Amino acid sequence: VYAPQYKWEFLALRLMMIPVCVVTYKVSRIIKTDFGIEILTLLFTAWNSIIIAIMIAWVGDAASPYYAGLNLVAIGSMTFLNWSSRFIIPVVVVVFAPYYITAFTITNSSMNSGVFINSFFIFGTIFITVVIRSFLGRILLTDAQSRFLLQAEIQNREQSWLDLNAADRT
């Protein structure tokens, strides 16, 4: 809708996500290490960002609404994926570097106030995802501790029940 002159090209770019998702899924079933999964996910995230940067470059306007898709990629990947701490900065880079490279080179809009304004939203998105990750991390830690305590309580009760039955038999 935003760039009707590129509707078929943009549709083709978007449809390319289907085989990329299938390949990513199949490869993820083969990979056995957390590090390998994080690399695969980083590549998948980069692919999403590059597709959006290509659309921005074709439109020729770094302030185009297409940049908002990067915020969705950032929120989705940085909030809901369990990255190790060493991958947080690379994720931010692979999500937003294609946009800034496009904005400052291909579209020749380095002085564009839209890029400046979009940057505030981008930094806001990064801040929000860091806060969400912090809360989510605490929630997951509390959940894990509660499960551990529950399992210990169940084992204690089972042992107490076995001890009580053994005492009754004697």
Side-chain angles (χ1 to χ4, degrees):
V1 173
Y2 176 70
Q5 69 274 23
Y6 296 112
K7 68 180 173 187
W8 298 113
E9 294 89 343
F10 286 6
L11 178 62
L13 285 172
R14 289 181 175 120
L15 288 175
M16 286 173 47
M17 287 308 301
I18 295 170
V20 169
C21 288
V22 170
V23 168
T24 301
Y25 173 76
K26 291 194 179 282
V27 171
S28 73
R29 308 301 285 165
I30 298 168
I31 296 174
K32 301 294 183 205
T33 66
D34 290 342
F35 181 77
I37 291 293
E38 285 178 310
I39 292 292
L40 177 65
T41 307
L42 190 66
L43 293 172
F44 180 74
T45 302
W47 178 260
N48 283 280
S49 299
I50 290 167
I51 293 298
I52 294 169
I54 289 169
M55 291 191 294
I56 291 169
W58 283 354
V59 170
D61 180 14
S64 77
Y66 284 116
Y67 100 93
L70 293 173
N71 289 330
L72 295 175
V73 172
I75 290 169
S77 63
M78 293 174 60
T79 302
F80 300 112
L81 299 176
N82 192 18
W83 299 100
S84 62
S85 58
R86 69 177 173 228
F87 274 93
I88 298 300
I89 291 174
V91 170
V92 171
V93 170
V94 301
V95 170
F96 295 112
Y99 170 74
Y100 284 110
I101 290 168
T102 300
F104 293 124
T105 59
I106 297 172
T107 63
N108 295 318
S109 59
S110 60
M111 302 307 286
N112 190 326
S113 65
V115 175
F116 183 70
I117 292 168
N118 289 351
S119 295
F120 283 106
F121 287 103
I122 288 169
F123 288 117
T125 298
I126 293 168
F127 178 75
I128 288 167
T129 57
V130 167
V131 170
I132 291 171
R133 280 185 65 82
S134 173
F135 284 128
L136 186 59
R138 283 191 227 144
I139 289 169
L140 292 175
L141 180 61
T142 301
D143 180 58
Q145 289 170 337
S146 297
R147 288 176 187 267
F148 176 76
L149 291 173
L150 179 61
Q151 186 63 33
E153 178 66 23
I154 290 170
Q155 288 174 349
N156 285 339
R157 287 184 183 201
E158 286 176 356
Q159 187 60 45
S160 295
W161 186 78
L162 291 173
D163 292 344
L164 184 61
N165 281 340
D168 285 343
R169 285 186 211 150
T170 57

